[in-house]
Amino acid sequence: MLQINYIKQNVSAVKEGLALKNFINFSLVDELIALDEEIRKLKSNTENLQASINITSKEIGALMAKGNAEEATAKRNDVATLKEDLGIKKNALQKIEEDFTNKILLLPNLPHSSVLPGKTPEENVTVLSGGTIPELPENAKPHWDLIKEYDLVNFEVGAKLTGSGFPVYKGRGAKLQRALIQYFLDYNTAAGYTEYMPPLMVNEQTAYGTGQLPDKEGQMYHVTEDKLYLIPTAEVPVTNIYSNEIVKENDMPIKMTAYTPCFRREAGSFGSDVRGLNRVHQFDKVEIIQLVHPDKSYEVLEEMANHIERLLQFLELPYRLLKLCGGDMSFASALTYDFEVFSAAQKKWLEVSSVSNFETFQTNRMKIRYKDEDGKTQLLHSLNGSSLALPRIVAALLENNQQEDGIHLPKTLHQYFGAAKIEKV
RNA sequence: AGAGAGGUGUCCGAGUGGUUGAAGGAGCACGCCUGGAAAGUGUGUAUGCGGGAAACUGCAUCGAGGGUUCGAAUCCCUUCCUCUCUGCCA
């Protein structure tokens, strides 16, 4: 959520930023400023009324104590008049405030000054790349064939149990999941991230904190009976661990990692994007999250990107890093990098990690703050990134490493998987 | 799931309608005392929003939301959470 004081002081910069994010309803900005003025006026109005009521009430108390009932009654009547007036004004204030809140929630975060314009994924910029794309023979198979051939993942059974997009991992397929999760967590904790295991369902307040609500309501599974949402990413519960906290300056940066399944309705997806493991409703992901001093957040963003890049190097996958253009960034993000790996048989770049700096957009909603040297309360910056999302990593690992005698796993996984390759059955 | 008890500041803890934003204690910060430390001692020590150059000041907040009242931490309703017992259960 943007801060109204900032908006008021930087109207044109705000509008430019919104334009970069393809948000062109500028009149909303002007409307918000006008509403804020109105709220201020009404507020001081009601507060003054309340102040005189408070004073008179104390006077009544004093008069009662003295036994001066007559004067007390007179004062009571005064208060009654004031209260009537106050009631009307308070109602008006409440309505305007609601209106204001609903409207300011519609504003996306402003992009960082380095974000380039653009409306579609095609306009993202490749910042760097690494690894080598393997030369596969003509008959190389896409992962959806390999998982059948090696009996690793069964979509049909998943569809029977739940529905499409809920894979059942089996045997070595299941073990590969477990190995990857274990490896990713070890890699993250070695870098100073504290491991968490959060709940997989969150309440409304928590979903609102990281920006899933009200923006992405339809993308989450909703347990209506208990008013809970299945988490679309560990970011939601884990970032909220510090909601409504004032953290000590020495405790920054806060570095957290968590493995969770992620649940996404993916309404509106179709075509080859959803083939095999490319897009599913339930998948495993290890996430890294940092809460940092605002001066450090962009430094930390680079650090997190480096951290993820090294992980992809250990996995020996060909990768590239994209800097997202304004129009392709998420609602809450100020700057986002996407890591993609090349899945050599389907000849496709697949997004496996998204690293973002949200600046104060989330922390403002969650009220995650610290005290600066002057004793003033300031918002932290929040960042997160996947390290990593499993299904597409698995897709690329299977496709890129397929050989005559089986799928050769990268060295770093041998110990975790308990074997150097997945043999043919 | 049923019955009961309870949720107060960083922590413990008092407070059942009227200078209570909240006693007392601990902790913490600064000062005094000390060769240094401990002990002792003095002062200070919540958050949000608004006004003010500042001193300071207004409003709100005693789990959350609503209500009664001139006035609520205190009374009523709703809701969440914690604990104890019973039930159920991995």
Side-chain angles (χ1 to χ4, degrees), chain A residues 11-143:
Chain A
V11 181
S12 56
V14 166
K15 288 182 179 172
E16 278 168 36
L18 291 174
L20 211 55
K21 275 225 164 175
N22 282 339
F23 185 97
I24 46 159
N25 184 4
F26 296 144
S27 62
L28 189 64
V29 176
D30 301 323
E31 205 180 330
L32 280 166
I33 292 170
L35 280 172
D36 182 66
E37 284 307 317
E38 216 173 320
I39 286 170
R40 270 160 207 277
K41 259 188 225 155
L42 259 172
K43 236 190 188 164
S44 86
N45 222 312
T46 53
E47 282 181 7
N48 288 339
L49 269 173
Q50 188 64 58
S52 43
I53 291 172
N54 287 348
I55 290 167
T56 314
S57 292
K58 280 189 181 165
E59 287 170 358
I60 292 170
L63 288 169
M64 299 290 281
K66 272 192 265 172
N68 193 341
E70 206 173 297
E71 217 172 306
T73 311
K75 295 246 181 206
R76 263 184 218 185
N77 291 335
D78 293 350
V79 175
T81 321
L82 290 174
K83 271 191 87 172
E84 209 175 308
D85 192 14
L86 180 65
I88 294 165
K89 288 199 166 118
K90 262 193 171 169
N91 266 337
L93 179 61
Q94 203 189 334
K95 273 199 190 121
I96 297 176
E97 279 184 324
E98 257 169 47
D99 190 26
F100 176 83
T101 308
N102 290 338
K103 282 183 173 145
I104 200 164
L105 283 174
L106 297 175
L107 294 181
N109 199 2
L110 300 171
H112 182 251
S113 58
S114 74
V115 171
L116 296 168
K119 298 199 168 161
T120 62
E122 284 70 41
E123 291 169 85
N124 297 335
V125 180
T126 304
V127 180
L128 58 82
S129 55
T132 37
I133 294 174
E135 299 276 343
L136 295 182
E138 266 311 298
N139 61 348
K141 292 172 181 165
H143 71 272

Side-chain angles (χ1 to χ4, degrees), chain A residues 20 52 55 68 83 98 112 115 179 211 220 231 297 317 329 340 346-348 371-372 378 416:
Chain A
L20 211 55
S52 43
I55 290 167
N68 193 341
K83 271 191 87 172
E98 257 169 47
H112 182 251
V115 171
M220 287 188 290
I231 58 168
S297 66
L317 291 169
M329 282 202 304
E340 296 183 338
Q346 54 178 324
K347 297 190 172 63
K348 240 186 165 161
K371 296 238 191 225
D372 65 15
Q378 307 283 358
Y416 285 96

